[in-house]
């Protein structure tokens, strides 16, 4: 039975008066994903500081018939948050509303708080987040929205620690939901993908702060799989994760458990920063001379791990620090959740394909001319014991057994795409689907659409769509990504939905995304001129902004075709 929420949040009605002047907003800014894979130009960019301001902004969007997109740290490399309409950044909503008390194990916080700041605030009372992914710069709302997870057989998604939340809906009201109140909305909002509304407050369960004693070692590929098949690998510590180096046939294995030992940080090597930058330089050269890629991977990761199997490093750190790592550079990430029992088969078949043995791999795509980057990330979770009322409808992990997450990373050195990335991901995704996998929502999967997700999620996708439809029938929070991945042919021609008009490759890397409200999409064919709905000149006077200067900025982008930041 889940814990009852401790904080008496209540539903808030829509604002009784409209606000036309927002001091914290920008007009036609450049927005990009962290990896700079996608760029777009929202007509207005809001940074509200309260739930009241979010409600007023949503009321304004309804009055001007605009889509609304909430954005966090933009670490998802897909086009999920691309828009030419209204964008809302909750970075100024990062306060603790109700700290942990003697009788409570949870904190009530504003949803824009970063995981790092949340941990820092919790540390003041001797607490920490139960689990983390690889980074802590994400907003709490953003981490929940895409199904963020760590790597532990004792933890599931981060969303499983949510007790309750408040979400601003398309009618301007702020609804409170939990496992005990509006439970379908709650389960839909736990992995919302931005398609339901704007989450502004979250009650989150914390645990006592502690240190982790961690060890990092290099093991052979076959020894790793052997311990996996003997069922000794993933239960050796509370937190276990691995980085597969396929061209070296090695695994960089990391594991950590709670300890009472004091903090002990291993000494940094003088050449670590040099290795980091040298690796990016060599990856960049390899985009033009792909055949050197195996040598680059063996050499650079060999220098990092001292080439031979054995202990690499060990130390003791606070949990909030021990679980995070450096993600290096701009990258494509394509991660899938599949049954843990299929893991050894998945790695062996992918290893055969990477090394050119198509027949042994059983993957019906030619591996010639395709190279991969290291590492391929190997992580696990176990949310199979979670109660139904705390499990998100769109939780990609397995319901009946632990889950393996396999993440195929391809770096974009200095913003340059590897020329073979689409072919690699086509083969990788075919294998993942063959083994019963589902993609991580926050990654850049390529070969799944709404029909495919219907087969993967069945009635749970239907329940998510029903919840979405009940709170946003006009599609204020629906974009082209949602249509392509979730809605499919359902609920066609939503009044406020935004559709993709075109995407243009940028000279400096990534794609410039352009969209329009669905009802206006037919007014603009690709390449035919300015998007009337995207420019939003008709609503500029509501903000006291200069229509002339904003229109001039959009026109400049149309002429250049690459965005104002092009160099």
């Amino acid at each position: 039975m889940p814990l009852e929420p401790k904080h008496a949040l209540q539903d808030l009605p829509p604002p009784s008066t409209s606000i036309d002047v927002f001091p914290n907003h920008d007009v036609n800014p450049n927005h990009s994903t962290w990896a700079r894979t996608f760029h777009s130009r929202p007509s207005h960019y809001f940074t509200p500081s309260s739930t009241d301001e979010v409600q007023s902004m949503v009321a304004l969007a309804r009055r001007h018939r605009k889509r609304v997109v909430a954005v966090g740290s933009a670490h998802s490399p897909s086009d999920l948050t691309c828009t030419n309409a209204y964008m809302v950044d909750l970075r100024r909503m990062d306060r603790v509303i109700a700290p942990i008390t003697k009788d409570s194990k949870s904190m009530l916080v504003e949803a824009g708080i970063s995981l790092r700041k949340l941990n820092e605030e919790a540390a003041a009372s001797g607490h920490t987040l139960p689990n983390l992914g690889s980074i802590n710069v994400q907003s709490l709302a953003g981490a929940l929205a895409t199904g963020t997870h760590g790597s532990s057989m004792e933890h599931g998604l981060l969303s499983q620690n949510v007790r309750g939340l408040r979400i601003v809906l398309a009618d301007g009201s702020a609804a409170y939901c939990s496992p005990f109140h509006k439970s379908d909305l709650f389960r839909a909002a736990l992995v919302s993908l931005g398609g339901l509304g704007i989450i502004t407050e979250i009650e989150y369960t914390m645990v006592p702060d502690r240190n982790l004693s961690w060890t990092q070692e290099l093991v052979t590929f076959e020894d790793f799989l052997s311990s996996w098949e003997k069922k000794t690998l993933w239960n050796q510590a509370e937190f276990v994760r691995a980085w597969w180096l396929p061209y070296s046939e090695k695994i960089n294995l990391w594991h950590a458990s709670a300890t009472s030992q004091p903090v002990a940080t291993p000494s940094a090597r003088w050449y670590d920063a040099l290795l980091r930058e040298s690796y990016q330089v060599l990856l960049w050269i390899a985009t033009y001379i792909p055949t050197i890629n195996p040598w680059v991977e063996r050499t650079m990761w060999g220098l990092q791990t001292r080439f031979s199997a054995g202990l690499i490093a060990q130390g003791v750190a606070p949990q909030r620090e021990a679980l995070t790592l450096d993600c290096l550079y701009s990258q494509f990430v394509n991660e899938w959740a599949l049954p843990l029992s299929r893991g050894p088969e998945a790695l062996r078949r992918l290893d055969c394909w990477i090394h050119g043995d198509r027949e042994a791999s059983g993957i019906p795509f030619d591996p010639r001319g395709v190279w991969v980057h290291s590492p391929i990330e190997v992580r696990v979770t176990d949310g199979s014991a979670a109660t139904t009322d705390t499990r998100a409808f769109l939780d990609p992990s397995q319901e009946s057994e632990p889950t393996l997450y396999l993440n195929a990373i391809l770096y974009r050195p200095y913003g340059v795409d590897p020329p073979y990335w689409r072919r690699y991901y086509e083969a990788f995704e075919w294998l993942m689907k063959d083994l019963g996998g589902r993609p991580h929502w926050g990654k850049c999967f390529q070969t799944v659409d709404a029909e495919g997700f219907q087969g993967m999620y069945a009635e749970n996708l239907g329940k998510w769509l029903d919840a979405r439809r009940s709170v946003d029938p006009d599609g204020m929070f629906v974009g082209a990504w949602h249509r392509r991945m979730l809605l499919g042919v359902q609920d066609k021609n939503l009044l406020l939905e935004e559709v993709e008009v075109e995407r243009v490759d940028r000279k400096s890397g990534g794609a410039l995304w352009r969209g329009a409200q669905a009802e206006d999409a037919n007014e603009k064919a690709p390449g035919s001129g300015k998007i009337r709905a995207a420019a939003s000149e008709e609503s500029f006077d509501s903000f006291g902004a200069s229509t002339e200067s904003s229109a001039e900025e959009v026109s400049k982008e149309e002429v250049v075709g690459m965005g104002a930041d092009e160099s």
Side-chain angles (χ1 to χ4, degrees):
M1 185 72 174
L3 293 170
E4 287 270 12
K6 296 296 183 183
H7 303 286
L9 294 177
Q10 297 177 345
D11 292 348
L12 300 177
S16 57
T17 59
S18 63
I19 298 177
D20 285 341
V21 179
F22 285 80
N24 301 304
H25 91 282
D26 195 7
V27 177
N28 288 119
N30 291 310
H31 176 76
S32 69
T33 60
W34 171 81
R36 301 187 69 79
T37 45
F38 282 96
H39 304 251
S40 63
R41 301 288 297 276
S43 64
H44 291 85
Y45 189 94
F46 299 88
T47 54
S49 60
S50 68
T51 295
D52 288 346
E53 287 189 12
V54 174
Q55 289 181 274
S56 296
M57 185 280 305
V58 168
L60 184 74
R62 175 160 291 282
R63 196 160 75 246
H64 291 285
R65 300 159 72 95
K66 295 297 175 187
R67 179 195 175 202
V68 178
V69 177
V71 66
S73 62
H75 266 264
S76 174
S78 74
D79 60 318
L80 174 59
T81 57
C82 286
T83 186
N84 286 143
Y86 288 2
M87 182 170 283
V88 183
D89 185 336
L90 300 183
R91 70 180 68 184
R92 297 176 70 240
M93 296 182 63
D94 64 348
R95 295 175 288 268
V96 175
I97 301 171
I100 294 176
T101 65
K102 191 181 293 186
D103 300 323
S104 171
K105 296 180 180 179
S106 63
M107 294 176 69
L108 179 63
V109 298
E110 292 179 322
I113 193 169
S114 70
L115 300 181
R116 177 176 182 175
K117 184 175 181 180
L118 177 55
N119 259 330
E120 290 171 348
E121 295 282 359
S125 62
H127 292 83
T128 190
L129 286 160
N131 192 17
L132 277 174
S134 299
I135 59 175
N136 60 11
V137 298
Q138 301 152 294
S139 69
L140 178 58
L144 301 178
T146 53
T148 298
H149 62 91
S151 189
S152 172
M153 293 286 280
E154 299 181 24
H155 301 277
L157 299 187
L158 268 62
S159 62
Q160 289 182 2
N161 297 302
V162 176
R163 286 187 174 184
L165 56 86
R166 177 174 280 153
I167 179 170
V168 176
L169 304 176
D171 64 359
S173 65
Y176 168 67
C177 56
S178 76
F180 308 95
H181 182 69
K182 300 182 180 177
S183 58
D184 277 0
L185 178 59
F186 177 72
R187 292 183 65 193
L190 287 177
V191 177
S192 71
L193 300 168
L196 303 172
I198 301 174
I199 296 173
T200 60
E201 298 173 17
I202 300 168
E203 184 180 358
Y204 201 83
T205 301
M206 311 299 281
V207 297
D209 201 4
R210 56 190 182 160
N211 289 342
L212 295 182
S213 175
W214 60 268
T215 299
Q216 188 173 353
E217 55 186 322
L218 194 66
V219 300
T220 67
F221 183 65
E222 285 304 322
D223 284 347
F224 177 77
L225 294 181
S226 176
S227 63
W228 191 332
E229 291 167 336
K230 292 176 182 177
K231 303 187 185 304
T232 59
L233 175 63
W234 299 110
N235 292 307
Q236 62 182 293
E238 181 177 354
F239 300 98
V240 183
R241 59 192 180 195
W243 298 280
W244 174 21
L245 315 175
Y247 292 124
S248 303
E249 292 295 328
K250 299 287 196 306
I251 300 285
N252 188 346
L253 180 64
W254 185 96
H255 47 88
S257 294
T259 182
S260 59
Q261 299 175 23
V263 171
T265 305
S267 300
R269 299 176 299 188
W270 65 268
Y271 56 85
D272 281 344
L274 179 61
L275 282 178
R276 190 184 194 281
E277 191 57 33
S278 298
Y279 184 38
Q280 184 167 204
V281 170
L282 290 172
L283 287 172
W284 178 79
I285 294 173
T287 62
Y288 301 99
I289 313 174
T291 53
I292 71 169
N293 200 78
W295 173 84
V296 170
E297 297 295 338
R298 284 193 297 268
T299 301
M300 299 310 296
W301 284 96
L303 291 170
Q304 180 69 27
T305 60
R306 302 187 178 96
F307 288 99
S308 60
L311 180 68
I312 299 173
Q314 57 187 0
V316 177
Q319 178 170 307
R320 61 184 176 275
E321 298 175 7
L323 295 178
T324 61
L325 53 85
D326 180 3
C327 290
L328 298 179
Y329 338 103
S330 170
Q331 57 196 249
F332 292 120
V333 280
N334 195 341
E335 184 173 43
W336 285 61
L338 57 151
L340 184 65
S341 58
R342 306 297 299 272
E345 177 188 353
L347 268 66
R348 284 196 173 98
R349 290 175 63 183
L350 184 57
D351 185 62
C352 287
W353 191 84
I354 289 171
H355 288 90
D357 192 342
R358 173 178 170 180
E359 183 177 353
S361 74
I363 300 174
F365 297 96
D366 189 351
R368 289 177 294 183
V370 178
W371 314 97
V372 306
H373 292 165
S374 298
I376 297 173
E377 194 172 27
V378 187
R379 296 186 288 174
V380 295
T381 67
D382 189 0
S384 58
T387 58
T388 300
D389 50 10
T390 61
R391 182 180 174 90
F393 287 137
L394 297 185
D395 184 337
S397 66
Q398 300 297 308
E399 291 91 343
S400 58
E401 67 170 282
T403 299
L404 164 67
Y405 281 91
L406 204 58
N407 185 15
I409 298 169
L410 282 175
Y411 294 110
R412 303 178 62 250
Y414 305 109
V416 179
D417 295 347
Y420 39 77
W421 74 274
R422 292 185 187 277
R423 292 180 57 205
Y424 176 33
Y425 281 171
E426 183 179 37
F428 176 75
E429 292 184 23
W430 187 93
L431 176 61
M432 295 299 99
K433 286 184 281 190
D434 190 50
L435 295 173
R438 297 189 284 211
H440 186 305
W441 292 109
K443 311 300 184 181
C444 51
F445 50 89
Q446 303 293 306
T447 63
V448 189
D449 57 15
E451 183 178 357
F453 281 122
Q454 181 61 55
M456 293 175 183
Y457 286 88
E459 66 177 14
N460 277 335
L461 177 57
K463 290 178 180 178
W464 188 91
L465 290 170
D466 288 344
R468 200 218 66 76
R469 188 182 300 112
S470 70
V471 295
D472 182 24
D474 294 327
M476 176 180 285
F477 301 102
V478 173
W481 187 96
H482 300 96
R483 173 64 65 187
R484 192 168 70 245
M485 302 300 178
L486 298 169
L487 274 68
V489 298
Q490 297 187 32
D491 301 329
K492 272 290 190 181
N493 302 316
L494 297 177
L495 180 65
L496 303 179
E497 178 181 350
E498 186 177 22
V499 300
E500 180 176 335
V501 173
E502 64 178 344
R503 59 181 71 180
V504 181
D505 290 337
R506 301 170 73 252
K507 292 177 182 177
S508 58
L512 177 65
W513 187 97
R514 294 193 177 111
Q517 300 297 132
E519 62 177 348
D520 299 315
N522 291 333
E523 296 182 17
K524 181 185 185 302
S528 65
K530 190 166 64 178
I531 304 172
R532 182 187 68 80
S536 304
E537 290 90 349
E538 71 273 20
S539 64
F540 284 172
D541 59 340
S542 296
F543 300 87
S546 168
T547 303
E548 290 75 22
S549 62
S550 300
E552 180 182 355
E553 195 172 0
V554 176
S555 297
K556 179 181 179 181
E557 181 188 356
E558 293 292 337
V559 172
V560 176
M562 296 293 173
D565 64 346
E566 185 64 41
S567 59

